[in-house]
């Protein structure tokens, strides 16, 4: 059993910044990767950013240069620093973890409940 808990969402003006956090807890043996996805109304869920245990990162083209993903392995936590926010960034942001649990022994995907980010003037 693994849980992902997000925090940091909210309302921000265009051009502003937010930092999202996601902490994984539970029966964790190791975490292969963690990432952020988002889903706007009427759209598919899309990858925003992902970071592997080795530090490799991937970003959506729409956020490249504005968002930065980082991790704190000691806390099993991933962060998403979002700068120069635009109204098009408005979405529910979901944390994802590729986790090897101590009870199952194989990598599985886990999702947080999502946190709303609204960029509006």
């Amino acid at each position: 059993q693994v849980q992902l808990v997000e925090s940091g969402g909210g309302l921000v003006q265009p051009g502003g910044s937010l930092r999202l956090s996601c902490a994984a807890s539970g029966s964790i043996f190791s975490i292969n990767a963690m990432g952020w996805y988002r889903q706007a109304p009427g759209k598919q869920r899309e990858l925003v950013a992902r970071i592997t245990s080795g530090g490799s990162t991937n970003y959506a083209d729409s956020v490249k240069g504005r968002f930065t993903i980082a991790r704190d392995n000691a806390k099993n936590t991933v962060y998403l620093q979002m700068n120069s926010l635009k109204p098009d960034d408005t979405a529910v942001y979901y944390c994802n973890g590729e986790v090897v649990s101590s009870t199952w022994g194989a990598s599985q995907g886990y999702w947080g409940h999502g946190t709303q980010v609204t960029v509006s003037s």
Side-chain angles (χ1 to χ4, degrees):
Q1 188 176 5
V2 175
Q3 300 84 38
L4 302 178
V5 179
E6 300 120 324
S7 62
L11 174 65
V12 66
Q13 294 183 341
S17 298
L18 284 174
R19 187 175 73 166
L20 305 183
S21 300
C22 174
S25 62
S27 302
I28 298 172
F29 180 77
S30 64
I31 300 178
N32 293 332
M34 298 184 75
W36 291 94
Y37 295 71
R38 68 185 182 187
Q39 187 167 22
K43 296 184 178 180
Q44 298 268 20
R45 186 175 299 187
E46 64 174 350
L47 173 70
V48 177
R50 178 177 177 269
I51 185 167
T52 70
S53 61
S56 298
T57 58
N58 299 97
Y59 294 94
D61 288 341
S62 60
V63 308
K64 199 171 300 181
R66 299 187 296 120
F67 292 9
T68 303
I69 190 168
R71 62 191 175 122
D72 185 337
N73 291 334
K75 298 180 179 180
N76 289 331
T77 298
V78 65
Y79 306 93
L80 185 67
Q81 179 66 47
M82 304 184 293
N83 298 326
S84 302
L85 283 161
K86 306 174 181 179
D88 286 347
D89 295 319
T90 296
V92 178
Y93 285 69
Y94 297 91
C95 180
N96 178 78
E98 299 167 30
V99 179
V100 178
S101 74
S102 57
T103 56
W104 180 244
S107 181
Q108 297 185 102
Y110 296 88
W111 292 94
H113 56 78
T115 185
Q116 177 71 47
V117 172
T118 302
V119 184
S120 176
S121 59

